[in-house]
Amino acid sequence: MPPSRRRGFSLPDDCLFCKLYREGDHIAATGGFVAIRDINPQAPVHLLVLPERHVDSFREIGEFPPEEAKRMLEFVADVAAREGLTDYRVAVNVGPTAGQTVFHLHWHIKGGWA
Ligand code: 5GP
Ligand code: ZN
């Protein structure tokens, strides 16, 4: 068994968000990033931005080349704007005790409150 699996981490082959990157219902996409609606929304609008690059969590943000990290953040802002959000919350849960349940980096965009 590969070391990453022994440590209990997702591998890209069996990672839910790697799968949704490839074949999910994308509301927006650009090179290397997609946005989907959260299946269990915690706000009137609740979107997720997923990078194609699999890293387990935000802790590994340093694995993104600087230009790619910048484009990811710009895509988060673009997706929010395209959904008509001016005020919104961007969040990343890092680790299980902070609420992370899917171990592929993703950005929550929540908004749409009256
Ligand atoms: P986390 O808890 O890791 O920060 O966020 C994972 C998010 O993914 C949760 O808000 C959860 O509702 C969402 N989610 C889990 N499974 C699916 C799925 O199959 N499709 C979509 N669209 N969202 C999912
Ligand atoms: Zn993944």
Side-chain angles (χ1 to χ4, degrees):
M1 189 179 282
S4 57
R5 192 179 292 247
R6 272 202 303 273
R7 290 200 303 270
F9 295 155
S10 300
L11 292 171
D13 278 354
D14 60 11
C15 170
L16 172 64
F17 282 179
C18 282
K19 184 164 186 280
L20 290 182
Y21 182 90
R22 292 192 303 265
E23 57 198 48
D25 192 3
H26 304 156
I27 62 159
T30 188
F33 309 102
V34 298
I36 61 174
R37 292 192 193 283
D38 197 290
I39 202 170
N40 180 25
Q42 303 296 308
V45 177
H46 186 170
L47 311 172
L48 300 171
V49 166
L50 319 178
E52 179 176 19
R53 184 185 294 277
H54 177 102
V55 296
D56 288 338
S57 82
F58 183 75
R59 284 187 214 101
E60 291 79 37
I61 190 67
E63 293 183 24
F64 282 74
E67 177 273 341
E68 199 174 313
K70 178 174 186 284
R71 285 197 304 108
M72 178 162 59
L73 293 177
E74 286 172 342
F75 183 61
V76 169
D78 288 348
V79 166
R82 271 196 258 173
E83 277 291 301
L85 301 175
T86 48
D87 297 5
Y88 55 91
R89 192 173 300 152
V90 174
V92 182
N93 298 324
V94 188
T97 64
Q100 187 178 4
T101 58
V102 179
F103 293 88
H104 175 131
L105 172 64
H106 54 281
W107 302 78
H108 293 262
I109 303 171
K110 296 181 198 175
W113 303 285

